[in-house]
Amino acid sequence: MALKFSIITLFSSLLLLAAICKAQPVTIDIKKFGAQNGDITQAFINAWKEACAATSNVKIVIPKGTYKMSGVEVKGPCKAPIEIQVDGTIQAPADPSQLKGAEQWVTIGYVSHFTLSGHGIFDGQGATAWKQNKCGSNKSCARRAMNLGFNFLNHSVVRDITSKDSKYFHVNVLSCNNFTFDGFKVSAPHDSANTDGIHIGRSNNVKVLNTKIATGDDCVSLGDGNTRLVVKNVECGPGHGISVGSLGLYDNEDNIDDFLVKNVTIKNADNGVRIKSWPSTPVSITVTNMRFEDITMVNVANPIIIDQEYCPWNECSKKSPSKVKISKVYFKNIKGTSATKEGVILLCSKSVPCQGVELSDINLTYKGAPTVAVCANAFINAWKEACAATSNVKIVIPKGTYKMSGVEVKGPCKAPIEIQVDGTIQAPADPSQLKGAEQWVTIGYVSHFTLSGHGIFDGQGATAWKQNKCGSNKSCARRAMNLGFNFLNHSVVRDITSKDSKYFHVNVLSCNNFTFDGFKVSAPHDSANTDGIHIGRSNNVKVLNTKIATGDDCVSLGDGNTRLVVKNVECGPGHGISVGSLGLYDNEDNIDDFLVKNVTIKNADNGVRIKSWPSTPVSITVTNMRFEDITMVNVANPIIIDQEYCPWNECSKKSPSKVKISKVYFKNIKGTSATKEGVILLCSKSVPCQGVELSDINLTYKGAPTVAVCANVSPKISGKAPTCTAAKSIF
């Protein structure tokens, strides 16, 4: 046992000795090589040559003090690790011409296990260059030298150094592997154009850690061809934030994969986290696996942005969309303050839509209110991807406020699709921006579709209502409805809210087995022609557990419907629940089987209504209408059949309606009427109503029972119900 212990002790001692030797490299003081008038250019080059030739670790030390240095380029391969420890300030020539067109002031290349350390400063003295170039406004400005260039380095570190006032980019990292910045600092004023802090191109496993960057352009920018990059525990600002790109401009670009930005604070910057690509270029590359997490924004103009229409100075062509394909981008736990109302801008390419973009826990405010998100093509692109999938897909629009122009998406699709909306989506407030579209959002020709979540589709209709005045102008221009569902089968809308539509909130056309459950409609009482849900030529549509407050009918039926149900619904204000108006158009079809049950109607102009136009040639039937278990609260016309419907009194009344109404049941309808006539049945002389029943009708006006006024109908009365008094028909 004693022998074994001695061997272990000897081995441990050898390891300790090796560690001590490795930790104590040979030190070369730059002063050993002399300096001419404080200029260490040649001394630096000579020190590097000696260090690079050494067979063991070497440290070059530049002690405290201020030194001048012209452009230098040193490179390997070297025989052993090299460390340069800078504790002083090294100044570049202030006159850019003295660097003779060099791309970098200090360039280090083709070495492994290199370290740049110390608390020193590389001062690019860039003020003269910025004034000469004005790169912020002149696209043809001359590119000046960057402070530091690291090319083809492996397993290397830059620690605690400061780059100050570079003439152009502060740092360029090219084709490096396993390269770390730790405690690095960048310092330049906000108006120092094109002074990116750290630019990384065609590199692998580069980390920017515990770093503080204040400059006039991107804090960290990524060119093409990068993989496995990390930016963590970084302070950025002022500047242009952290950018992937711009991309797509040059023919030989390569893909970008795996970029993590985490625990970052961005202050007083023009952008926060950004991906940008040029339009109208031939390059097809991919950008994927981008993660932006746990980020605090402080007064940032564009906190989250994907810009695939990047075009500085507005002088590039935008004739064709970007071919850079962006996918798997995650924005998570991003909070703070925006300097603009648009906290999220996602301008993706029409040619290669963004895929797999996720927003999670985004809490950005502008002047104390939540910011909005502007998304171009994001919704359309997500639909395209979902529609092509062969298994169930859910598209998620998370909490937040987003802007969206008019969209139309359709199938047929290969598998069921669900869209879960938890945020607020806003239409353009200006109606003209929807370019005459009938619906703002149109979804068509799919089966097994679900629209769910607790989100809001906000039509921002106030401007349209003022322009149109459809309540008093029969020739008013019809604006876009919020939602259009066309030719859908076996589909559901659940818990969504439609707010302030410019025209009807929802139009359902030629759908089969379609259910609204927990749906909500919200608009003021004076929003003319804003029907809640309009249903036409559909079968087996159900409106359940829904609350509708709007300026027109809560639910309205066009022609050609069968087997419809409205149940457990709150309606009001508005114009109640209407069948029709009918008979105006030549190609109308019959309506059969409509049930309205367990409904409350409050402060509405009408309750339950069937209406048709006079003096039209159309002969259709309306049959099997059941209105049961309904409560009226201050409703002007609780029960009404109006076959003399004539808004604005400008239609012809020369002949009666030819719409034949039969088998209509009003049962257990109670509450208060805002008029004395609780029941109005004005049927057609040409085709009188048949099979109309009033059962258990208990409506009061100012505490007294209401009366019934009837023309061309003899309703069957059962239970408690008012008897008809004759109404003089206009015919």
Side-chain angles (χ1 to χ4, degrees):
M1 293 296 293
L3 178 61
K4 182 177 181 181
F5 177 80
S6 298
I7 292 171
I8 293 171
T9 303
L10 177 60
F11 182 70
S12 299
S13 299
L14 289 172
L15 287 175
L16 179 61
L17 180 60
I20 291 171
C21 291
K22 184 177 180 180
Q24 295 180 347
V26 174
T27 299
I28 300 174
D29 191 323
I30 195 77
K31 291 182 177 179
K32 167 185 172 181
F33 297 95
Q36 298 295 324
N37 299 319
D39 190 314
I40 61 170
T41 304
Q42 194 59 48
F44 183 89
I45 294 170
N46 292 339
W48 177 270
K49 286 179 179 178
E50 180 175 325
C52 192
T55 56
S56 61
N57 297 14
V58 176
K59 178 189 286 187
I60 300 169
V61 176
I62 301 174
K64 291 181 179 179
T66 300
Y67 310 89
K68 294 180 180 180
M69 188 165 72
S70 299
V72 297
E73 181 178 1
V74 294
K75 58 185 178 180
C78 298
K79 296 179 179 180
I82 296 175
E83 179 176 358
I84 300 176
Q85 179 181 313
V86 179
D87 293 317
T89 296
I90 305 174
Q91 293 178 333
D95 182 355
S97 67
Q98 292 185 29
L99 291 173
K100 301 176 182 179
E103 290 190 359
Q104 287 102 21
W105 165 36
V106 179
T107 305
I108 298 169
Y110 299 94
V111 290
S112 295
H113 303 287
F114 167 75
T115 300
L116 176 60
S117 66
H119 296 281
I121 299 170
F122 286 83
D123 183 357
Q125 297 202 96
T128 301
W130 308 331
K131 292 176 183 177
Q132 288 178 353
N133 278 332
K134 297 183 179 178
C135 287
S137 58
N138 177 18
K139 71 171 184 174
S140 300
C141 69
R143 304 307 183 194
R144 300 304 188 182
M146 309 177 200
N147 268 8
L148 300 167
F150 301 108
N151 305 331
F152 301 92
L153 303 190
N154 297 310
H155 316 298
S156 297
V157 178
V158 174
R159 182 182 296 115
D160 298 329
I161 289 294
T162 296
S163 175
K164 180 175 184 286
D165 291 348
S166 181
K167 295 174 173 64
Y168 190 38
F169 292 3
H170 284 259
V171 177
N172 190 60
V173 177
L174 176 65
S175 296
C176 293
N177 177 58
N178 192 21
F179 191 7
T180 299
F181 294 84
D182 189 1
F184 185 60
K185 298 180 184 66
V186 172
S187 174
H190 67 90
D191 58 351
S192 56
N194 283 96
T195 55
D196 292 36
I198 301 173
H199 181 77
I200 306 169
R202 304 209 168 195
S203 297
N204 174 62
N205 195 21
V206 177
K207 297 181 178 69
V208 180
L209 310 175
N210 312 308
T211 287
K212 187 172 182 180
I213 302 175
T215 188
D217 212 294
D218 299 334
C219 292
V220 178
S221 60
L222 269 61
D224 72 294
N226 289 295
T227 59
R228 297 175 59 215
L229 306 185
V230 174
V231 174
K232 192 172 182 181
N233 301 327
V234 168
E235 291 185 28
C236 165
H240 295 178
I242 296 172
S243 289
V244 179
S246 54
L247 299 168
L249 186 60
Y250 302 105
D251 291 340
N252 61 343
E253 291 185 16
D254 206 349
N255 304 326
I256 299 177
D257 183 17
D258 194 359
F259 180 39
L260 171 63
V261 178
K262 189 176 178 70
N263 294 334
V264 167
T265 298
I266 303 176
K267 296 182 179 179
N268 303 314
D270 289 353
N271 302 290
V273 289
R274 175 169 61 157
I275 302 173
K276 52 181 177 170
S277 70
W278 295 79
S280 298
T281 60
V283 180
S284 298
I285 62 171
T286 62
V287 177
T288 190
N289 293 311
M290 306 284 107
R291 290 165 292 157
F292 304 94
E293 303 176 5
D294 306 329
I295 299 171
T296 299
M297 306 285 182
V298 180
N299 191 41
V300 175
N302 301 297
I304 298 171
I305 180 168
I306 295 177
D307 182 5
Q308 293 206 262
E309 299 176 356
Y310 178 72
C311 185
W313 303 291
N314 289 318
E315 292 191 14
C316 58
S317 170
K318 293 186 178 181
K319 291 182 179 179
S320 60
S322 171
K323 292 184 179 180
V324 175
K325 187 177 178 77
I326 297 172
S327 66
K328 297 181 182 177
V329 184
Y330 308 95
F331 301 101
K332 182 179 180 182
N333 189 29
I334 299 177
K335 62 185 179 180
T337 57
S338 172
T340 60
K341 189 177 180 181
E342 293 79 17
V344 179
I345 300 174
L346 306 178
L347 302 179
C348 292
S349 170
K350 283 185 178 181
S351 174
V352 280
C354 298
Q355 296 181 344
V357 178
E358 292 189 14
L359 298 166
S360 176
D361 299 319
I362 309 300
N363 185 13
L364 295 165
T365 61
Y366 169 66
K367 295 183 178 179
T371 59
V372 300
V374 180
C375 305
N377 305 315
F379 185 90
I380 295 170
N381 298 338
W383 177 271
K384 286 180 180 177
E385 181 179 344
C387 193
T390 55
S391 59
N392 296 20
V393 176
K394 179 188 283 188
I395 299 168
V396 177
I397 301 174
K399 290 181 179 178
T401 303
Y402 310 88
K403 291 183 177 181
M404 187 166 71
S405 299
V407 297
E408 180 177 2
V409 294
K410 59 185 178 181
C413 298
K414 296 180 179 179
I417 296 176
E418 179 175 358
I419 299 176
Q420 179 181 315
V421 180
D422 294 316
T424 296
I425 304 175
Q426 293 179 334
D430 182 354
S432 67
Q433 291 185 27
L434 292 173
K435 300 176 182 178
E438 290 189 0
Q439 287 100 20
W440 166 36
V441 180
T442 306
I443 297 169
Y445 299 94
V446 289
S447 295
H448 303 286
F449 167 74
T450 301
L451 177 59
S452 67
H454 296 280
I456 299 170
F457 286 84
D458 183 356
Q460 298 203 97
T463 300
W465 308 331
K466 292 176 183 177
Q467 288 178 352
N468 278 331
K469 298 182 179 178
C470 287
S472 58
N473 176 17
K474 72 172 184 175
S475 300
C476 68
R478 304 305 183 195
R479 300 304 189 181
M481 309 178 202
N482 267 7
L483 300 167
F485 301 109
N486 304 332
F487 300 92
L488 303 190
N489 297 310
H490 315 295
S491 297
V492 178
V493 174
R494 182 181 295 115
D495 298 328
I496 289 293
T497 296
S498 175
K499 180 174 183 269
D500 291 348
S501 182
K502 295 174 173 64
Y503 190 38
F504 292 2
H505 283 260
V506 177
N507 189 58
V508 178
L509 176 64
S510 296
C511 294
N512 176 58
N513 192 20
F514 191 9
T515 300
F516 294 84
D517 189 0
F519 185 62
K520 298 179 184 67
V521 172
S522 172
H525 67 91
D526 58 351
S527 56
N529 282 96
T530 55
D531 293 36
I533 301 173
H534 181 77
I535 306 168
R537 305 208 169 194
S538 297
N539 174 62
N540 196 22
V541 177
K542 297 182 178 69
V543 180
L544 310 175
N545 312 308
T546 287
K547 187 172 182 179
I548 302 176
T550 188
D552 212 293
D553 299 334
C554 292
V555 179
S556 60
L557 270 59
D559 72 294
N561 290 295
T562 59
R563 298 175 59 216
L564 307 185
V565 174
V566 174
K567 192 173 182 180
N568 301 327
V569 168
E570 291 184 27
C571 165
H575 295 178
I577 296 172
S578 289
V579 179
S581 53
L582 300 168
L584 186 60
Y585 302 104
D586 291 341
N587 62 343
E588 291 184 16
D589 207 350
N590 303 326
I591 299 177
D592 183 17
D593 194 358
F594 181 38
L595 171 64
V596 178
K597 188 176 178 71
N598 294 334
V599 167
T600 299
I601 302 175
K602 296 181 179 180
N603 304 314
D605 291 352
N606 302 290
V608 289
R609 176 169 59 157
I610 302 172
K611 53 180 177 171
S612 69
W613 295 80
S615 299
T616 61
V618 179
S619 298
I620 61 171
T621 62
V622 176
T623 191
N624 293 312
M625 307 283 107
R626 290 166 291 157
F627 303 95
E628 304 175 4
D629 306 329
I630 299 171
T631 299
M632 307 285 183
V633 180
N634 191 40
V635 175
N637 300 298
I639 298 171
I640 180 169
I641 295 176
D642 182 6
Q643 294 204 261
E644 299 174 357
Y645 178 72
C646 185
W648 304 292
N649 289 315
E650 292 188 15
C651 57
S652 170
K653 297 184 179 180
K654 292 181 179 179
S655 61
S657 171
K658 292 185 179 180
V659 175
K660 183 167 183 173
I661 298 172
S662 65
K663 297 181 182 178
V664 183
Y665 307 95
F666 300 102
K667 181 179 179 181
N668 189 28
I669 299 177
K670 61 185 179 181
T672 58
S673 173
T675 59
K676 187 176 181 180
E677 294 78 14
V679 179
I680 300 173
L681 306 177
L682 300 181
C683 293
S684 170
K685 273 187 177 181
S686 174
V687 281
C689 298
Q690 295 180 350
V692 177
E693 293 189 14
L694 297 170
S695 176
D696 298 320
I697 309 300
N698 185 11
L699 296 164
T700 62
Y701 169 66
K702 294 184 179 180
T706 58
V707 300
V709 178
C710 307
N712 305 311
V713 61
S714 298
K716 179 181 177 181
I717 305 296
S718 63
K720 183 178 180 181
T723 57
C724 276
T725 58
K728 183 178 179 182
S729 173
I730 59 175
F731 300 107

